[in-house]
Amino acid sequence: MSLLSNLESNDTIEGDKDSVGGGSFLVDSGLHRMNIELAYIDQSARGALSLNLHLTGVDSGSNVRQTIWISSGDAKGNKNTYIDAKGKKQYLPGYKLAESLTEAVLKTKMNALETVEKVVNRWDFEAKAEIPQKTAVISDLLGKEILAGIIKQTVDKVTDNGAGKWVPSGEVKDENVIDKFFNADGLTATEVKAGADEGSFTDKWESKFGGTYPDKSTTGRDAAAASTVGTPTASTPAATSSLFANA
């Protein structure tokens, strides 16, 4: 059984929409044509699932790696949904983003995908190096060409406060974060599901985010507008446990 099969899929829950509201060599903010070199599911020590992508620029050769958290941890029931302030069930932002990739590229729901166990080099926190590890790989995504809306931003470096929480360390770093996925033809998941022949959202996204350089750190140039997010992000390191420990 796939590790993704327990994730909820419900047509009454609002999925990804086309909206501009609101390791590796860094790339500037903009639309980047990328190949998916590796796509796998990992699990944190506290039970949260993540989709991990290794992307390579088709023309530039730039490498972008992204961790997208698609479920909560053990303490919150390992769910890919939550109840908002109005009492409405919503997908976690990371799950919504990840499923927009699978729907745009494969026309498939995230929880319908199968994973295959392969040995790949991944970062190990104890070894402090990339070592061969058994990994739940999403083979259907490998080798697929996509268009990724990537933002270059400044964020806080974080440190463990000793009580199990990650807090700003007082230092900052630049990172890339994927904001939007398009298939190789430039269509979003919304456009694919609508049966569109041509995509129109690429221009809107590029107009909004292309060339931007936001500062989301608590001490930086945009500190007054900075906000904190209660879910793990790619910039929040978390030790992981083997998905095959009992295999």
Side-chain angles (χ1 to χ4, degrees):
M1 182 175 68
S2 170
L3 291 166
L4 302 172
S5 60
N6 290 328
L7 298 177
E8 182 175 355
S9 181
N10 189 327
D11 289 339
T12 66
I13 303 176
E14 185 175 349
D16 183 67
K17 295 193 300 184
D18 297 344
S19 171
V20 293
S24 316
F25 297 106
L26 294 177
V27 298
D28 291 333
S29 296
L31 295 172
H32 296 268
R33 192 164 292 278
M34 314 290 287
N35 280 323
I36 302 176
E37 302 293 339
L38 182 61
Y40 66 90
I41 301 298
D42 202 5
Q43 189 172 41
S44 75
R46 296 178 182 176
L49 291 180
S50 62
L51 169 65
N52 300 267
L53 299 172
H54 293 192
L55 309 177
T56 301
V58 172
D59 299 316
S60 66
S62 297
N63 298 308
V64 174
R65 295 188 179 187
Q66 192 85 166
T67 297
I68 303 171
W69 294 96
I70 60 175
S71 84
S72 59
D74 298 334
K76 294 186 177 181
N78 309 109
K79 296 183 178 182
N80 60 317
T81 60
Y82 70 99
I83 305 299
D84 67 16
K86 296 181 179 179
K88 184 178 180 181
K89 182 178 283 190
Q90 303 282 0
Y91 286 125
L92 293 176
Y95 182 84
K96 190 184 295 188
L97 177 64
E99 188 163 81
S100 75
L101 169 66
T102 64
E103 289 188 326
V105 176
L106 302 174
K107 299 182 180 181
T108 304
K109 295 282 189 182
M110 186 77 189
N111 67 346
L113 295 175
E114 294 292 333
T115 56
V116 179
E117 181 181 324
K118 295 184 179 182
V119 176
V120 300
N121 287 328
R122 295 196 288 116
W123 181 262
D124 183 87
F125 277 84
E126 293 184 2
K128 298 186 184 302
E130 288 193 346
I131 60 175
Q133 299 180 61
K134 291 180 179 179
T135 304
V137 174
I138 303 177
S139 297
D140 288 344
L141 284 174
L142 303 187
K144 292 294 189 294
E145 183 177 309
I146 62 171
L147 199 61
I150 302 175
I151 296 174
K152 179 182 177 181
Q153 63 185 21
T154 302
V155 297
D156 291 306
K157 288 184 178 181
V158 294
T159 185
D160 192 331
N161 68 355
K165 292 185 178 181
W166 296 97
V167 297
S169 67
E171 299 182 58
V172 299
K173 67 176 182 178
D174 286 344
E175 68 173 13
N176 281 144
V177 59
I178 298 176
D179 177 78
K180 195 72 176 178
F181 286 112
F182 306 80
N183 65 18
D185 296 322
L187 298 173
T188 65
T190 301
E191 291 168 333
V192 169
K193 288 185 286 187
D197 294 323
E198 295 184 2
S200 62
F201 193 69
T202 49
D203 291 340
K204 295 178 182 177
W205 191 96
E206 182 68 28
S207 177
K208 176 76 174 182
F209 296 110
T212 61
Y213 182 30
D215 187 339
K216 294 191 174 182
S217 69
T218 55
T219 58
R221 57 187 180 272
D222 299 331
S227 61
T228 57
V229 180
T231 54
T233 67
S235 62
T236 304
T240 58
S241 58
S242 172
L243 297 172
F244 307 96
N246 297 320

